[in-house]
Amino acid sequence: MSPETARRLAELSREIGRQMGLLLDRRGQVSHILIGDRRSVFIPDLRLFRFSPGHLRGLRLIHTHLEPGGFTKEDMTDLLLVRLDLIVAIEVMPDGLPGRTHLAYLVPSNDARWTTETYPNPHEMKESPLILIELAEDWMRRQITGIVTEGVPRVMLLGITGQSPDRAEESMLELGELARTAGLEVTHTLLQKRAKPDPRTIIGQGKLRDISIDALDQAVDTLVFNQELSPSQLRAITEKTELKVIDRTMLILDIFAQHASSRGGKIQVELAQLRYLLPRLVGKGTALSRLAGGIGTRGPGETKLEVDRRRIRQRIGKLEKDLAHLTRERKTRRKRRGVDQTPIVSIVGYTNVGKSTLLNTLTNADEIAEDKLFATLDPVSRRLTTSEGTLCILTDTVGLIHDLPPDLEKAFAATFEEIGDADLILHLADASAENLGEQIVTVEETMESLGMNGIPTMLVLNKADLVDRAILPNLRKRYGALTVSALKRESLGEMLGEVRRRLGEIASTQDAGRSTQ
């Protein structure tokens, strides 16, 4: 900064009674001229000047102060949050001349995240700004060395307690499991005590600012909210933090997309994603060129946003037709299975309770059974044969979860139809889960919403080997359930006997009904 520039900036600032500032790039070129009010200047949208972990923005701020004193809290927040190369504040004297000059850059000093220096006037600063910038970036790189795993997104989990703090804590633990399943690295979790979400940012602007600073220090690139974000909230939080922002629904959809392997599963996942995305295309005109098939020509005067919406609607229409065709094929297969009057038992339950493991143990199948949420997306049917012959056709279904996104539930309606053809529902729950009761209620409520509550149901508590033996009798009595360990075939005898007994009662009832007719 030349003496002439410093003097002219101070003169103009005193003349108009407002702070003025310059943003300069590393070549010394002015990118922005800022005019604020008497107490501050406003930093404009700098998203074009992107930065990555371990690097600064590439811009330094030189601005005036009309009142004596050092940096304000807003100045240091800008230095941290915007990741400025450095910041300079020039005190303007009553005669309009530049006076004491303050300098700050992001190298820790005296228990602060920054180093500050003060000079009698701007001409006394001796250090080259590029040397200070290099020092700051070198410290930032050393800070994040060893904490960044190549190719693994680092995320921060955020939520509010709402009216039920205990339920909120359990939900945040579940969000952590969802993040792990999605292959994300969770740095830390914040559960804010707040009865109602902030209408704009969920957690409030002050807390969001603090979170943004922590995220930058920890090389976090994604914020994951436990609440579903409205389009306006998603946009506001993204603009304020310049980080990738997703919510619980988007995370679940991403997990489903990773695990979908069959044609039916892929169609259902894409359909749910597009239904979720459509109302969130607001004002940004996000290009969706990756969507192919069924795209017509652009109409005259059609905006980019309208084109994107039209593409999505056309794609949704095509996917719905494909899904309807698959549904008819599944119905045909189910009818063929029912020709020999073999009873059907569907295993339903919360995600990751061991449904696929139970199917594998009972039928000697080799379906994927991982300690992850939503490892199974497509219904799998196998014949369950005992020494007395074929007992039933056993069907494994997609796991359920608290607050299952409506778009996902709607898209997977064809999969849930498999449950509707069952003679008996085997509701499998995790006996070792801390929120066992809530998981059971969630499944029961979901089944009721799908119109399946009229089907005979049998509750079985799995993972009994992970529970204290003294507690098991109480659990059996409290829930009126059997206890098993899906990994141990010898523990399944009582359950198989009860399934055989109930299927016999159902068959007798059906025979009596046919005789009456």
Side-chain angles (χ1 to χ4, degrees):
M1 179 176 54
S2 67
E4 293 78 15
T5 300
R7 180 166 182 165
R8 187 62 178 146
L9 196 63
E11 288 175 347
L12 287 171
S13 182
R14 177 61 67 185
E15 181 179 344
I16 65 175
R18 295 168 178 263
Q19 286 192 13
M20 291 187 63
L22 303 174
L23 282 173
L24 291 87
D25 62 23
R26 292 187 182 174
R27 297 172 299 171
Q29 301 297 312
V30 176
S31 67
H32 294 78
I33 299 175
L34 312 178
I35 302 178
D37 55 25
R38 187 168 183 82
R39 297 186 179 278
S40 62
V41 290
F42 175 72
I43 303 294
D45 184 355
L46 299 176
R47 277 175 292 178
L48 291 178
F49 297 86
R50 298 294 296 170
F51 64 96
S52 58
H55 294 277
L56 297 169
R57 180 77 63 170
L59 293 173
R60 53 189 183 270
L61 171 63
I62 300 170
H63 71 304
T64 60
H65 275 190
L66 294 174
E67 306 293 339
F71 289 111
T72 65
K73 182 179 179 181
E74 287 75 14
D75 287 334
M76 306 321 291
T77 299
D78 286 340
L79 178 66
L80 281 167
L81 193 56
V82 183
R83 279 302 193 259
L84 293 169
D85 285 357
L86 54 83
I87 185 170
V88 172
I90 304 172
E91 294 184 17
V92 180
M93 307 294 286
D95 57 4
L97 293 176
R100 284 200 312 167
T101 301
H102 308 277
L103 168 70
Y105 49 96
L106 288 175
V107 173
S109 176
N110 298 326
D111 297 326
R113 298 190 186 192
W114 49 74
T115 296
T116 58
E117 301 172 4
T118 301
Y119 301 89
N121 58 66
H123 321 312
E124 297 292 330
M125 292 189 290
K126 299 181 176 63
E127 293 284 357
S128 164
L130 296 180
I131 294 176
L132 300 180
I133 294 166
E134 185 177 341
L135 284 173
E137 287 200 325
D138 180 63
W139 176 83
M140 293 179 69
R141 279 193 294 270
R142 283 188 282 109
Q143 182 189 24
I144 68 171
T145 298
I147 68 171
V148 178
T149 304
E150 190 67 30
V152 178
R154 292 171 59 81
V155 304
M156 189 182 299
L157 308 182
L158 306 172
I160 61 172
T161 56
Q163 302 296 332
S164 177
D166 291 341
R167 176 69 192 101
E169 289 182 7
E170 292 172 357
S171 183
M172 290 298 290
L173 290 174
E174 189 172 78
L175 186 67
E177 282 299 302
L178 287 169
R180 183 181 71 85
T181 301
L184 307 177
E185 182 180 347
V186 179
T187 61
H188 53 287
T189 300
L190 170 71
L191 181 61
Q192 187 187 27
K193 292 182 179 179
R194 193 183 186 102
K196 294 182 180 180
D198 180 85
R200 185 164 176 80
T201 63
I202 301 292
I203 60 175
Q205 299 205 29
K207 180 61 71 174
L208 185 64
R209 182 179 60 244
D210 295 341
I211 287 298
S212 300
I213 294 172
D214 290 341
L216 289 167
D217 285 343
Q218 295 297 317
V220 168
D221 49 30
T222 305
L223 301 180
V224 182
F225 282 80
N226 200 28
Q227 288 75 19
E228 182 169 316
L229 302 176
S230 68
S232 60
Q233 289 170 336
L234 184 64
R235 189 164 59 252
I237 296 170
T238 301
E239 289 175 352
K240 288 182 179 298
T241 63
E242 297 189 53
L243 297 169
K244 183 177 181 180
V245 180
I246 63 176
D247 60 17
R248 181 185 179 90
T249 299
M250 296 167 72
L251 182 59
I252 293 175
L253 289 174
D254 183 73
I255 294 171
F256 271 57
Q258 290 182 41
H259 290 177
S261 56
S262 70
R263 181 166 176 260
K266 291 177 180 178
I267 289 175
Q268 290 171 120
V269 170
E270 185 180 354
L271 190 56
Q273 287 176 322
L274 293 180
R275 282 174 174 160
Y276 183 80
L277 177 63
L278 185 58
R280 286 162 176 77
L281 274 183
V282 181
K284 291 213 169 190
T286 306
L288 298 175
S289 56
R290 66 182 181 277
L291 297 181
I295 300 174
T297 57
R298 300 187 185 187
E302 201 171 21
T303 67
K304 180 63 178 171
L305 184 59
E306 290 168 342
V307 171
D308 290 340
R309 285 174 174 160
R310 179 167 52 82
R311 284 176 174 174
I312 289 181
R313 290 192 184 100
Q314 289 177 342
R315 183 64 175 167
I316 286 175
K318 182 180 185 302
L319 291 172
E320 286 176 339
K321 290 180 181 178
D322 292 344
L323 195 57
H325 178 69
L326 285 174
T327 301
R328 290 192 295 269
E329 289 182 347
R330 280 178 173 167
K331 285 182 178 178
T332 301
R333 288 197 297 270
R334 291 200 298 270
K335 285 181 180 178
R336 285 201 296 265
R337 287 204 303 262
V339 169
D340 59 1
Q341 301 299 313
T342 303
I344 298 173
V345 176
S346 287
I347 308 174
V348 303
Y350 212 75
T351 182
N352 202 31
V353 296
K355 297 184 296 298
S356 297
T357 301
L358 181 63
L359 178 78
N360 288 341
T361 302
L362 288 173
T363 65
N364 296 318
D366 56 356
E367 297 302 320
I368 296 175
E370 298 180 281
D371 184 21
K372 288 184 178 181
L373 307 185
F374 303 117
T376 300
L377 292 187
D378 298 295
V380 177
S381 297
R382 296 287 184 271
R383 285 186 177 271
L384 172 55
T385 303
T386 66
S387 58
E388 301 176 11
T390 298
L391 176 60
C392 64
I393 293 175
L394 202 61
T395 301
D396 184 16
T397 58
V398 62
L400 304 177
I401 196 170
H402 184 71
D403 293 332
L404 185 69
D407 290 326
L408 202 56
E409 186 176 312
K410 185 177 180 182
F412 274 74
T415 296
F416 292 131
E417 283 180 3
E418 295 277 342
I419 305 174
D421 290 323
D423 297 287
L424 175 67
I425 291 177
L426 199 159
H427 179 179
L428 196 66
D430 181 356
S432 65
E434 292 185 4
N435 59 337
L436 170 61
E438 289 194 12
Q439 289 190 6
I440 291 174
V441 170
T442 294
V443 173
E444 290 175 346
E445 290 177 347
T446 304
M447 297 302 294
E448 183 176 356
S449 69
L450 295 170
M452 309 294 182
N453 52 328
I455 302 174
T457 302
M458 173 179 164
L459 180 62
V460 177
L461 303 182
N462 187 28
K463 305 185 184 181
D465 53 319
L466 302 180
V467 180
D468 189 331
R469 290 186 178 182
I471 299 176
L472 282 178
N474 294 332
L475 288 178
R476 290 170 65 104
K477 183 177 180 180
R478 178 179 179 182
Y479 295 106
L482 301 178
T483 53
V484 301
S485 174
L487 291 171
K488 301 177 181 179
R489 192 177 186 89
E490 63 271 15
S491 73
L492 305 179
E494 184 184 9
M495 183 196 74
L496 289 175
E498 183 64 14
V499 168
R500 182 178 290 106
R501 186 187 70 79
R502 293 203 183 193
L503 289 177
E505 290 180 352
I506 293 169
S508 298
T509 302
Q510 291 173 344
D511 290 341
R514 283 192 289 268
S515 299
T516 303
Q517 292 177 355

